[in-house]
């Protein structure tokens, strides 16, 4: 089981924290933290996408439906990778593959069809979903709604990418000069590598 700590939530937005549920020390996205459906449910509770009661409901439902949980997790991972690639293409000003853009579009459109507009939008999310109605798919729907909210907000201009790993984050600073997901991890590793390179050159 994955343990979610404060260092798991450096994105500054639930949609970005979602794409950061896989990673590693390089751009390869080789370390998977959503290893089973329970990991995804635990992440969603820590990210406040699920409340405690919803979290317990999903865990119990997944325990009694292993095939459904496996399918939901596989689809959630595919949704995550499409969202990551879509956002990164804009950050790097590269062409986004049509199939990637279509996947993000379909995920968001489907989520809005499955959600209900709340007349209590001042005290709760404008689009609400029922965990009992959607079952294990509720995670994908709520993440897609969070993605739609990010893309519709001015925060989309603040999305940056770590210079060392694959994580994305919001950089609200006027200069937009943030380079690392975390100075304590990628920043210090880059600093250590620069120091080692200088030492190697000086020692020759």
């Amino acid at each position: 089981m994955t343990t979610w700590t404060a260092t798991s939530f450096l994105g500054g937005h639930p949609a970005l924290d979602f794409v950061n549920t896989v990673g590693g020390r390089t751009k390869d996205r080789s370390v998977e933290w959503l290893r089973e459906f329970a990991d995804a449910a635990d992440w969603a509770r820590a990210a406040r996408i699920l409340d405690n009661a919803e979290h317990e409901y999903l865990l119990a439902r997944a325990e009694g439906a292993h095939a459904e949980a496996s399918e939901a997790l596989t689809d959630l991972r595919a949704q995550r990778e499409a969202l990551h690639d879509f956002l990164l293409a804009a950050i790097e000003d590269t062409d986004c593959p049509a199939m990637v853009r279509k996947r993000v579009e379909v995920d968001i459109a489907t989520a809005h069809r499955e959600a209900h507009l709340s007349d209590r939008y001042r005290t709760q999310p404008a689009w609400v979903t029922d965990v009992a109605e959607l079952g294990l798919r509720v995670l994908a729907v709520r993440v897609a709604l969070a993605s739609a909210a990010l893309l519709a907000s001015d925060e989309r201009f603040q999305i940056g990418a770590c210079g060392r790993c694959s994580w994305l984050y919001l950089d609200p600073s006027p200069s937009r000069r943030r380079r690392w997901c975390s100075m304590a991890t990628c920043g210090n590793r880059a600093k250590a590598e620069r120091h080692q390179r200088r030492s190697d050159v000086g020692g020759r």
Side-chain angles (χ1 to χ4, degrees):
M1 295 287 291
T2 299
T3 300
W4 303 103
T5 66
T7 58
S8 306
F9 300 92
L10 301 176
H13 191 281
L16 301 182
D17 289 328
F18 173 60
V19 302
N20 295 345
T21 57
V22 66
R25 294 192 173 193
T26 68
K27 298 285 187 181
D28 291 340
R29 296 176 71 74
S30 56
V31 181
E32 176 64 73
W33 287 293
L34 299 185
R35 302 184 185 97
E36 52 188 271
F37 185 83
D39 292 327
D42 290 350
W43 171 84
R45 179 179 60 175
R48 299 183 180 179
I49 289 175
L50 293 176
D51 63 28
N52 289 336
E54 292 171 332
H55 173 256
E56 293 303 317
Y57 174 87
L58 286 190
L59 289 183
R61 182 156 175 169
E63 183 63 28
H66 295 290
E68 181 186 359
S70 178
E71 182 179 351
L73 179 62
T74 297
D75 191 62
L76 197 63
R77 289 174 179 168
Q79 177 180 347
R80 178 191 63 194
E81 294 311 296
L83 180 61
H84 175 270
D85 292 351
F86 175 78
L87 296 174
L88 187 62
I91 294 167
E92 297 182 340
D93 195 22
T94 59
D95 291 335
C96 179
M99 64 183 299
V100 169
R101 184 176 63 254
K102 188 64 177 178
R103 171 66 200 243
V104 175
E105 181 181 328
V106 169
D107 285 336
I108 290 174
T110 300
H112 278 109
R113 284 198 302 269
E114 305 232 38
H116 307 285
L117 185 61
S118 172
D119 56 3
R120 299 181 180 178
Y121 59 87
R122 298 183 66 178
T123 57
Q124 65 182 35
W127 294 95
V128 295
T129 51
D130 188 305
V131 66
E133 178 183 330
L134 293 175
L136 304 188
R137 292 186 56 253
V138 73
L139 296 185
V141 170
R142 290 187 181 177
V143 167
L145 292 172
S147 303
L150 174 62
L151 292 170
S153 74
D154 287 344
E155 287 182 320
R156 69 187 187 276
F157 304 119
Q158 302 172 6
I159 304 173
C162 182
R164 184 181 177 90
C165 75
S166 70
W167 278 22
L168 307 183
Y169 51 77
L170 291 181
D171 179 7
S173 66
S175 63
R176 301 284 197 273
R177 296 183 63 183
R178 179 175 170 182
R179 297 182 60 192
W180 318 112
C181 60
S182 169
M183 192 64 210
T185 53
C186 286
N188 280 341
R189 288 169 190 153
K191 183 178 179 181
E193 286 181 357
R194 288 196 301 270
H195 177 74
Q196 184 62 51
R197 285 194 296 269
R198 286 195 295 267
S199 298
D200 291 343
V201 171
R204 289 173 184 166

